[in-house]
Amino acid sequence: QVQLVESGGGLVQAGGSLRLSCAASGGNFRSYDMAWFRQAPGKEREFVAAIRKYGGGTYYADSVKGRFTISRDNAKSTLSLQMNNLKPEDSAVYYCAAASSAITSTIRRSQSYANWGQGTQVTVSS
């Protein structure tokens, strides 16, 4: 089982940028499809972005497309999320997740992912 630890969250003004990182250990990072989800208070956890195990495909929620970029470094077992032009509605706890194999039709569903990090808080002030 892979263990995941997120970092890079914080407080930023609207229009600013943050870069989140997720360090993986205890498993073969290259063999996992990876994703970012987020959850705001009182709301359900929602899909943000995903990337295939060999970086062959990326997927984004419509709300972040064009502003966020997901990437991975298999050599360093690290997943990243570059977030630009942040908006107050992006405020949430961001979670890193891993799936041994996620089919395209369900890659945006949290149930597809068996391994989760503890989350990192992102707060965007207006």
Side-chain angles (χ1 to χ4, degrees):
Q1 290 280 20
V2 64
Q3 288 81 49
L4 306 170
V5 178
E6 303 94 335
S7 62
L11 174 64
V12 63
Q13 288 187 332
S17 299
L18 279 175
R19 187 177 181 86
L20 303 184
S21 294
C22 173
S25 62
N28 184 0
F29 180 73
R30 301 168 187 266
S31 68
Y32 290 92
D33 294 320
M34 300 296 297
W36 289 97
F37 286 78
R38 66 188 183 187
Q39 188 168 19
K43 295 187 177 181
E44 293 186 355
R45 189 169 297 188
E46 66 172 355
F47 171 79
V48 175
I51 187 167
R52 287 297 189 185
K53 56 191 68 176
Y54 299 112
T58 56
Y59 307 82
Y60 294 93
D62 288 342
S63 59
V64 307
K65 200 172 295 183
R67 300 188 297 122
F68 291 11
T69 302
I70 189 172
S71 61
R72 65 189 297 162
D73 185 335
N74 285 339
K76 296 182 178 179
S77 298
T78 301
L79 176 73
S80 297
L81 184 69
Q82 177 65 43
M83 305 186 295
N84 298 328
N85 190 20
L86 282 160
K87 304 176 180 180
E89 52 263 41
D90 294 319
S91 296
V93 177
Y94 282 70
Y95 297 92
C96 171
S100 56
S101 186
I103 62 176
T104 301
S105 62
T106 61
I107 200 167
R108 292 174 171 82
R109 297 180 187 175
S110 59
Q111 296 89 334
S112 297
Y113 299 84
N115 303 283
W116 293 82
Q118 82 290 348
T120 186
Q121 177 71 48
V122 172
T123 303
V124 184
S125 62
S126 57

